[in-house]
Amino acid sequence: MKKMNKLFSLLMIMSVLTITGFKAKAHCEIPCGIYGDSVRIALIYEDIETIEKSMNKINTLSDQDSPDYNQLVRWVMNKEEHAKKIQEIVSQYFLHQRIKIVSADDDAAYLKYTKQLELLHHIAVFAMKSKQSTDLSIIDTLREKVHAFEHAYFGDEH
């Protein structure tokens, strides 16, 4: 009887996960040791490029005498989605898993640590700002901060 209860419980959990559309994500904070740091940076740059294209399309569509609101909404949603992806990489990948807490006693390591935190915070904030606007200067700042983070994270030889 206990075996049947366990099986029933497992089936119920699986059903709920299926119904709610639960999706497993890669790098779910399990220390698997499989990391693609440079891939994540490339993804952020790709997301920035997509946000920039979305901003340009939104501006173009908004300037038309008779805007296609359906397309306008789609470009806004696209921009939001890619900004959120940047925020997830910054938070879930780099802050939660890759940037290790260091002691303030080690001056050099602590300086590097705080610089990385500062840059990641800027990236997350400017990703948020890209959701709120179509100001292309935000894109320039995002690129600058990602470039600076690359050097702070990988070193100057990267």
Side-chain angles (χ1 to χ4, degrees):
M1 189 61 156
K2 285 185 180 180
K3 200 173 192 176
M4 288 298 282
N5 284 341
K6 285 183 182 180
L7 181 60
F8 179 74
S9 296
L10 181 61
L11 288 172
M12 289 301 292
I13 291 170
M14 289 175 62
S15 297
V16 168
L17 293 176
T18 302
I19 290 169
T20 60
F22 175 80
K23 294 178 184 172
K25 289 184 174 181
H27 293 97
C28 55
E29 301 176 12
I30 297 172
C32 63
I34 302 169
Y35 299 107
D37 298 337
S38 58
V39 171
R40 296 308 177 279
I41 297 296
L43 289 171
I44 290 173
Y45 278 123
E46 187 176 283
D47 289 325
I48 291 170
E49 192 174 327
T50 303
I51 293 167
E52 181 179 34
K53 182 173 183 175
S54 297
M55 286 179 171
N56 285 323
K57 291 290 189 178
I58 291 165
N59 289 334
T60 300
L61 287 166
S62 297
D63 287 342
Q64 293 177 349
D65 291 336
S66 181
D68 183 341
Y69 292 109
N70 183 53
Q71 288 301 315
L72 193 56
V73 168
R74 293 182 73 205
W75 282 109
V76 169
M77 289 174 58
N78 189 53
K79 180 172 67 89
E80 297 272 327
E81 178 185 334
H82 286 275
K84 184 178 177 184
K85 286 180 179 183
I86 292 171
Q87 292 171 319
E88 287 175 357
I89 292 171
V90 164
S91 179
Q92 290 295 116
Y93 186 79
F94 283 107
L95 288 174
H96 294 182
Q97 299 178 74
R98 301 304 289 149
I99 306 298
K100 305 299 182 201
I101 298 172
V102 299
S103 170
D105 297 338
D106 183 346
D107 290 340
Y110 193 73
L111 183 63
K112 180 179 179 179
Y113 169 70
T114 56
K115 186 62 179 173
Q116 290 173 349
L117 291 180
E118 176 190 358
L119 290 166
L120 288 171
H121 185 227
H122 282 138
I123 294 166
V125 167
F126 279 92
M128 176 214 42
K129 288 180 180 285
S130 76
K131 293 179 181 182
Q132 300 169 342
S133 173
T134 57
D135 180 356
L136 293 170
S137 70
I138 293 168
I139 298 301
D140 296 334
T141 303
L142 260 174
R143 282 193 180 106
E144 289 170 17
K145 297 301 179 181
V146 173
H147 181 75
F149 175 72
E150 274 185 284
H151 288 281
Y153 185 76
F154 294 110
D156 290 332
E157 69 277 350
H158 180 70

